[in-house]
Structures are given as C-alpha cells and as structure tokens.
Amino acid sequence: MHDLKLIRTDPDRLRAALRQRQMQNGDEIVAHVVSLDEERRTTLSEVETFKRERNEASQQVAKLKKSGGNADELITQTR
C-alpha cells in the first residue's frame, strides 16, 4: 500500500516503482489515482463548506427563536 500523500507529492516515484514491477499501464494507474485524490479533496472541501453554512444557519435559527421571531423560512431554506 502506498501513502496517498507521497503519491500526491511525488507521483514519479510510484511510476518508477510500477515500471520496476513491469506494469505496462503504470502511468495510467498513477494518473487515475491522482485524479481521484483531487476529486476526493474537492468533494471534502465542498462538504465542509456545506456543514459550515448549515451550522451558521442553525445559529441564526436559534437566535431568531430566542428573540421570539419566526424562523420557519430559514429552516425551509436550510433543508
């Protein structure tokens, strides 16, 4: 098993290791792994953004309810 951080920072090292093992499609494998890692990191970033927005909205709902306001519209938007 190879460290994903190492593959991200030094993909040529993995390519060389795959060539030593006589894997013909090593370049394709490395490119695919790097691509999937980038997609995963982008998705995680988006998820964290959504979580932050949800938490901010929840705080606003709590403030509205505490002050006696109507938070139904904000609750609907966060769903």
Short mmCIF file of all heavy atoms in Angstrom, two decimals, residues 23-67:
data_model
loop_
_atom_site.label_atom_id
_atom_site.label_comp_id
_atom_site.label_asym_id
_atom_site.label_seq_id
_atom_site.Cartn_x
_atom_site.Cartn_y
_atom_site.Cartn_z
N MET A 23 4.77 -3.27 -14.78
CA MET A 23 3.36 -2.99 -15.04
C MET A 23 3.28 -2.05 -16.24
O MET A 23 3.83 -0.95 -16.20
CB MET A 23 2.69 -2.37 -13.82
CG MET A 23 2.59 -3.34 -12.66
SD MET A 23 1.55 -2.72 -11.35
CE MET A 23 -0.05 -2.83 -12.09
N GLN A 24 2.62 -2.48 -17.27
CA GLN A 24 2.57 -1.73 -18.52
C GLN A 24 1.74 -0.46 -18.41
O GLN A 24 2.01 0.52 -19.06
CB GLN A 24 2.00 -2.62 -19.63
CG GLN A 24 2.80 -3.88 -19.87
CD GLN A 24 4.23 -3.59 -20.29
OE1 GLN A 24 4.49 -2.63 -21.00
NE2 GLN A 24 5.17 -4.40 -19.83
N ASN A 25 0.70 -0.47 -17.59
CA ASN A 25 -0.21 0.67 -17.51
C ASN A 25 0.01 1.49 -16.24
O ASN A 25 -0.89 2.12 -15.73
CB ASN A 25 -1.66 0.21 -17.61
CG ASN A 25 -2.04 -0.77 -16.52
OD1 ASN A 25 -1.18 -1.28 -15.82
ND2 ASN A 25 -3.32 -1.02 -16.37
N GLY A 26 1.23 1.53 -15.74
CA GLY A 26 1.55 2.24 -14.51
C GLY A 26 1.26 3.73 -14.59
O GLY A 26 0.76 4.32 -13.64
N ASP A 27 1.56 4.33 -15.74
CA ASP A 27 1.29 5.77 -15.89
C ASP A 27 -0.20 6.06 -15.79
O ASP A 27 -0.61 7.05 -15.17
CB ASP A 27 1.83 6.28 -17.24
CG ASP A 27 3.35 6.28 -17.28
OD1 ASP A 27 3.98 6.27 -16.21
OD2 ASP A 27 3.91 6.30 -18.40
N GLU A 28 -1.01 5.21 -16.40
CA GLU A 28 -2.46 5.38 -16.34
C GLU A 28 -2.97 5.21 -14.90
O GLU A 28 -3.85 5.96 -14.46
CB GLU A 28 -3.15 4.37 -17.24
CG GLU A 28 -2.89 4.58 -18.71
CD GLU A 28 -3.43 3.44 -19.55
OE1 GLU A 28 -4.30 2.68 -19.05
OE2 GLU A 28 -2.98 3.30 -20.70
N ILE A 29 -2.43 4.25 -14.20
CA ILE A 29 -2.85 4.00 -12.83
C ILE A 29 -2.53 5.20 -11.96
O ILE A 29 -3.38 5.67 -11.19
CB ILE A 29 -2.17 2.72 -12.27
CG1 ILE A 29 -2.70 1.48 -12.99
CG2 ILE A 29 -2.36 2.61 -10.76
CD1 ILE A 29 -1.95 0.21 -12.67
N VAL A 30 -1.33 5.72 -12.07
CA VAL A 30 -0.92 6.88 -11.26
C VAL A 30 -1.79 8.09 -11.60
O VAL A 30 -2.26 8.79 -10.70
CB VAL A 30 0.58 7.19 -11.46
CG1 VAL A 30 0.96 8.49 -10.77
CG2 VAL A 30 1.43 6.04 -10.93
N ALA A 31 -2.02 8.32 -12.87
CA ALA A 31 -2.85 9.46 -13.28
C ALA A 31 -4.26 9.31 -12.72
O ALA A 31 -4.86 10.30 -12.25
CB ALA A 31 -2.88 9.56 -14.80
N HIS A 32 -4.79 8.11 -12.74
CA HIS A 32 -6.14 7.86 -12.22
C HIS A 32 -6.20 8.08 -10.70
O HIS A 32 -7.13 8.70 -10.20
CB HIS A 32 -6.59 6.45 -12.59
CG HIS A 32 -8.01 6.15 -12.27
ND1 HIS A 32 -9.06 6.81 -12.86
CD2 HIS A 32 -8.55 5.28 -11.39
CE1 HIS A 32 -10.19 6.36 -12.37
NE2 HIS A 32 -9.91 5.43 -11.47
N VAL A 33 -5.20 7.58 -10.00
CA VAL A 33 -5.15 7.75 -8.54
C VAL A 33 -5.05 9.22 -8.18
O VAL A 33 -5.76 9.70 -7.30
CB VAL A 33 -3.97 6.95 -7.94
CG1 VAL A 33 -3.73 7.34 -6.49
CG2 VAL A 33 -4.23 5.46 -8.04
N VAL A 34 -4.20 9.96 -8.87
CA VAL A 34 -4.05 11.39 -8.60
C VAL A 34 -5.35 12.12 -8.91
O VAL A 34 -5.78 12.99 -8.14
CB VAL A 34 -2.87 11.97 -9.41
CG1 VAL A 34 -2.85 13.48 -9.35
CG2 VAL A 34 -1.55 11.40 -8.90
N SER A 35 -6.00 11.75 -10.00
CA SER A 35 -7.27 12.37 -10.36
C SER A 35 -8.35 12.10 -9.31
O SER A 35 -9.09 13.00 -8.91
CB SER A 35 -7.73 11.84 -11.72
OG SER A 35 -9.02 12.27 -12.02
N LEU A 36 -8.45 10.85 -8.86
CA LEU A 36 -9.43 10.50 -7.82
C LEU A 36 -9.14 11.23 -6.52
O LEU A 36 -10.06 11.67 -5.83
CB LEU A 36 -9.43 8.99 -7.59
CG LEU A 36 -10.05 8.15 -8.69
CD1 LEU A 36 -9.85 6.66 -8.38
CD2 LEU A 36 -11.52 8.46 -8.86
N ASP A 37 -7.87 11.38 -6.19
CA ASP A 37 -7.50 12.10 -4.97
C ASP A 37 -7.91 13.56 -5.06
O ASP A 37 -8.44 14.12 -4.09
CB ASP A 37 -6.00 11.98 -4.72
CG ASP A 37 -5.57 12.72 -3.46
OD1 ASP A 37 -6.18 12.47 -2.39
OD2 ASP A 37 -4.65 13.56 -3.54
N GLU A 38 -7.69 14.18 -6.20
CA GLU A 38 -8.10 15.58 -6.39
C GLU A 38 -9.61 15.72 -6.27
O GLU A 38 -10.11 16.65 -5.62
CB GLU A 38 -7.62 16.09 -7.74
CG GLU A 38 -6.13 16.31 -7.83
CD GLU A 38 -5.67 16.68 -9.23
OE1 GLU A 38 -6.52 16.86 -10.12
OE2 GLU A 38 -4.45 16.78 -9.42
N GLU A 39 -10.34 14.79 -6.87
CA GLU A 39 -11.80 14.81 -6.80
C GLU A 39 -12.27 14.65 -5.35
O GLU A 39 -13.17 15.35 -4.89
CB GLU A 39 -12.38 13.70 -7.68
CG GLU A 39 -13.87 13.67 -7.74
CD GLU A 39 -14.38 12.56 -8.63
OE1 GLU A 39 -13.66 12.11 -9.54
OE2 GLU A 39 -15.53 12.13 -8.42
N ARG A 40 -11.64 13.73 -4.64
CA ARG A 40 -11.99 13.49 -3.24
C ARG A 40 -11.73 14.73 -2.39
O ARG A 40 -12.57 15.12 -1.57
CB ARG A 40 -11.16 12.32 -2.70
CG ARG A 40 -11.35 12.04 -1.24
CD ARG A 40 -10.37 10.93 -0.77
NE ARG A 40 -10.26 10.92 0.66
CZ ARG A 40 -9.42 11.66 1.36
NH1 ARG A 40 -8.57 12.47 0.76
NH2 ARG A 40 -9.38 11.58 2.67
N ARG A 41 -10.60 15.37 -2.60
CA ARG A 41 -10.26 16.56 -1.81
C ARG A 41 -11.21 17.71 -2.13
O ARG A 41 -11.62 18.45 -1.23
CB ARG A 41 -8.82 16.95 -2.07
CG ARG A 41 -7.85 15.89 -1.53
CD ARG A 41 -6.43 16.20 -1.84
NE ARG A 41 -6.05 17.34 -0.99
CZ ARG A 41 -4.91 17.98 -1.11
NH1 ARG A 41 -4.05 17.63 -2.02
NH2 ARG A 41 -4.62 18.98 -0.31
N THR A 42 -11.60 17.85 -3.37
CA THR A 42 -12.57 18.88 -3.75
C THR A 42 -13.92 18.62 -3.10
O THR A 42 -14.55 19.52 -2.56
CB THR A 42 -12.73 18.93 -5.28
OG1 THR A 42 -11.45 19.22 -5.87
CG2 THR A 42 -13.73 19.96 -5.71
N THR A 43 -14.34 17.36 -3.13
CA THR A 43 -15.62 16.99 -2.53
C THR A 43 -15.61 17.23 -1.02
O THR A 43 -16.58 17.75 -0.46
CB THR A 43 -15.96 15.52 -2.83
OG1 THR A 43 -15.99 15.34 -4.25
CG2 THR A 43 -17.29 15.11 -2.25
N LEU A 44 -14.52 16.87 -0.37
CA LEU A 44 -14.42 17.10 1.07
C LEU A 44 -14.49 18.60 1.40
O LEU A 44 -15.13 19.00 2.37
CB LEU A 44 -13.12 16.52 1.62
CG LEU A 44 -13.08 15.02 1.79
CD1 LEU A 44 -11.68 14.56 2.22
CD2 LEU A 44 -14.10 14.56 2.80
N SER A 45 -13.87 19.39 0.57
CA SER A 45 -13.91 20.84 0.77
C SER A 45 -15.34 21.36 0.64
O SER A 45 -15.79 22.20 1.43
CB SER A 45 -13.00 21.53 -0.25
OG SER A 45 -13.10 22.92 -0.13
N GLU A 46 -16.06 20.87 -0.35
CA GLU A 46 -17.46 21.27 -0.55
C GLU A 46 -18.32 20.83 0.63
O GLU A 46 -19.18 21.59 1.10
CB GLU A 46 -18.01 20.67 -1.85
CG GLU A 46 -17.41 21.27 -3.10
CD GLU A 46 -17.83 20.54 -4.36
OE1 GLU A 46 -18.54 19.51 -4.28
OE2 GLU A 46 -17.44 21.00 -5.44
N VAL A 47 -18.09 19.62 1.12
CA VAL A 47 -18.85 19.12 2.27
C VAL A 47 -18.61 20.00 3.48
O VAL A 47 -19.55 20.35 4.21
CB VAL A 47 -18.49 17.64 2.56
CG1 VAL A 47 -19.00 17.20 3.92
CG2 VAL A 47 -19.04 16.74 1.47
N GLU A 48 -17.36 20.37 3.72
CA GLU A 48 -17.04 21.22 4.86
C GLU A 48 -17.71 22.59 4.72
O GLU A 48 -18.19 23.15 5.70
CB GLU A 48 -15.53 21.38 5.00
CG GLU A 48 -14.82 20.13 5.45
CD GLU A 48 -15.31 19.63 6.80
OE1 GLU A 48 -15.53 20.44 7.72
OE2 GLU A 48 -15.48 18.41 6.94
N THR A 49 -17.77 23.11 3.50
CA THR A 49 -18.45 24.38 3.26
C THR A 49 -19.94 24.26 3.59
O THR A 49 -20.51 25.13 4.25
CB THR A 49 -18.26 24.84 1.81
OG1 THR A 49 -16.87 25.00 1.55
CG2 THR A 49 -18.98 26.14 1.53
N PHE A 50 -20.57 23.19 3.13
CA PHE A 50 -21.99 22.96 3.41
C PHE A 50 -22.24 22.83 4.92
O PHE A 50 -23.22 23.35 5.45
CB PHE A 50 -22.53 21.74 2.68
CG PHE A 50 -22.65 21.93 1.19
CD1 PHE A 50 -22.25 20.91 0.33
CD2 PHE A 50 -23.14 23.09 0.65
CE1 PHE A 50 -22.37 21.07 -1.05
CE2 PHE A 50 -23.26 23.25 -0.72
CZ PHE A 50 -22.87 22.25 -1.57
N LYS A 51 -21.35 22.12 5.60
CA LYS A 51 -21.50 21.96 7.04
C LYS A 51 -21.40 23.31 7.75
O LYS A 51 -22.17 23.58 8.68
CB LYS A 51 -20.43 21.02 7.60
CG LYS A 51 -20.68 19.56 7.32
CD LYS A 51 -19.57 18.73 7.94
CE LYS A 51 -19.75 17.26 7.69
NZ LYS A 51 -18.65 16.47 8.28
N ARG A 52 -20.45 24.12 7.32
CA ARG A 52 -20.27 25.44 7.92
C ARG A 52 -21.52 26.29 7.71
O ARG A 52 -22.01 26.93 8.64
CB ARG A 52 -19.05 26.14 7.33
CG ARG A 52 -18.79 27.52 7.93
CD ARG A 52 -17.55 28.18 7.33
NE ARG A 52 -17.44 28.07 5.88
CZ ARG A 52 -18.09 28.83 5.00
NH1 ARG A 52 -18.93 29.75 5.41
NH2 ARG A 52 -17.91 28.67 3.70
N GLU A 53 -22.05 26.26 6.48
CA GLU A 53 -23.25 27.03 6.18
C GLU A 53 -24.45 26.54 7.01
O GLU A 53 -25.24 27.34 7.51
CB GLU A 53 -23.58 26.95 4.69
CG GLU A 53 -22.59 27.71 3.82
CD GLU A 53 -22.82 27.49 2.34
OE1 GLU A 53 -23.69 26.67 1.97
OE2 GLU A 53 -22.10 28.12 1.54
N ARG A 54 -24.56 25.23 7.16
CA ARG A 54 -25.65 24.66 7.96
C ARG A 54 -25.52 25.09 9.42
O ARG A 54 -26.51 25.46 10.06
CB ARG A 54 -25.63 23.14 7.86
CG ARG A 54 -26.76 22.48 8.64
CD ARG A 54 -26.59 21.00 8.79
NE ARG A 54 -25.37 20.74 9.55
CZ ARG A 54 -24.70 19.61 9.52
NH1 ARG A 54 -25.10 18.62 8.76
NH2 ARG A 54 -23.60 19.45 10.23
N ASN A 55 -24.31 25.05 9.94
CA ASN A 55 -24.10 25.46 11.33
C ASN A 55 -24.42 26.93 11.54
O ASN A 55 -25.01 27.32 12.55
CB ASN A 55 -22.68 25.16 11.76
CG ASN A 55 -22.41 23.68 11.91
OD1 ASN A 55 -23.34 22.89 12.05
ND2 ASN A 55 -21.15 23.29 11.85
N GLU A 56 -24.03 27.77 10.58
CA GLU A 56 -24.34 29.20 10.67
C GLU A 56 -25.85 29.43 10.64
O GLU A 56 -26.38 30.23 11.41
CB GLU A 56 -23.66 29.97 9.54
CG GLU A 56 -22.15 30.07 9.70
CD GLU A 56 -21.47 30.67 8.48
OE1 GLU A 56 -22.15 30.96 7.46
OE2 GLU A 56 -20.23 30.84 8.52
N ALA A 57 -26.53 28.70 9.76
CA ALA A 57 -27.99 28.83 9.67
C ALA A 57 -28.65 28.35 10.96
O ALA A 57 -29.60 28.96 11.44
CB ALA A 57 -28.52 28.04 8.48
N SER A 58 -28.14 27.28 11.54
CA SER A 58 -28.69 26.77 12.79
C SER A 58 -28.53 27.80 13.91
O SER A 58 -29.43 27.98 14.74
CB SER A 58 -28.00 25.47 13.20
OG SER A 58 -28.29 24.46 12.28
N GLN A 59 -27.41 28.48 13.93
CA GLN A 59 -27.20 29.52 14.93
C GLN A 59 -28.17 30.68 14.72
O GLN A 59 -28.71 31.23 15.69
CB GLN A 59 -25.76 30.02 14.88
CG GLN A 59 -24.75 29.02 15.41
CD GLN A 59 -23.32 29.49 15.22
OE1 GLN A 59 -23.06 30.52 14.60
NE2 GLN A 59 -22.38 28.72 15.77
N GLN A 60 -28.42 31.02 13.47
CA GLN A 60 -29.37 32.10 13.18
C GLN A 60 -30.78 31.69 13.59
O GLN A 60 -31.54 32.51 14.13
CB GLN A 60 -29.34 32.46 11.69
CG GLN A 60 -28.08 33.17 11.28
CD GLN A 60 -28.06 33.43 9.77
OE1 GLN A 60 -28.89 32.90 9.02
NE2 GLN A 60 -27.12 34.24 9.33
N VAL A 61 -31.14 30.44 13.35
CA VAL A 61 -32.46 29.95 13.75
C VAL A 61 -32.59 30.04 15.27
O VAL A 61 -33.62 30.49 15.79
CB VAL A 61 -32.68 28.49 13.26
CG1 VAL A 61 -33.88 27.86 13.94
CG2 VAL A 61 -32.85 28.46 11.75
N ALA A 62 -31.55 29.63 15.97
CA ALA A 62 -31.59 29.67 17.43
C ALA A 62 -31.76 31.11 17.93
O ALA A 62 -32.54 31.37 18.85
CB ALA A 62 -30.32 29.06 18.01
N LYS A 63 -31.05 32.04 17.31
CA LYS A 63 -31.16 33.45 17.70
C LYS A 63 -32.57 33.98 17.43
O LYS A 63 -33.14 34.69 18.25
CB LYS A 63 -30.14 34.31 16.95
CG LYS A 63 -28.73 34.14 17.46
CD LYS A 63 -27.77 35.00 16.66
CE LYS A 63 -26.34 34.75 17.08
NZ LYS A 63 -25.39 35.55 16.28
N LEU A 64 -33.12 33.63 16.26
CA LEU A 64 -34.47 34.08 15.92
C LEU A 64 -35.50 33.53 16.90
O LEU A 64 -36.38 34.25 17.37
CB LEU A 64 -34.84 33.66 14.50
CG LEU A 64 -34.34 34.54 13.37
CD1 LEU A 64 -34.62 33.89 12.02
CD2 LEU A 64 -35.01 35.91 13.44
N LYS A 65 -35.40 32.24 17.21
CA LYS A 65 -36.36 31.63 18.13
C LYS A 65 -36.22 32.21 19.53
O LYS A 65 -37.21 32.41 20.23
CB LYS A 65 -36.17 30.12 18.16
CG LYS A 65 -36.71 29.43 16.92
CD LYS A 65 -36.69 27.93 17.08
CE LYS A 65 -37.39 27.27 15.91
NZ LYS A 65 -37.47 25.82 16.07
N LYS A 66 -34.97 32.48 19.93
CA LYS A 66 -34.73 33.04 21.26
C LYS A 66 -35.33 34.44 21.39
O LYS A 66 -35.85 34.81 22.44
CB LYS A 66 -33.24 33.07 21.54
CG LYS A 66 -32.89 33.42 22.96
CD LYS A 66 -31.40 33.29 23.20
CE LYS A 66 -31.08 33.53 24.66
NZ LYS A 66 -29.65 33.39 24.92
N SER A 67 -35.27 35.20 20.28
CA SER A 67 -35.81 36.55 20.32
C SER A 67 -37.31 36.59 20.03
O SER A 67 -37.90 37.66 19.98
CB SER A 67 -35.07 37.44 19.32
OG SER A 67 -35.34 37.04 18.00
#
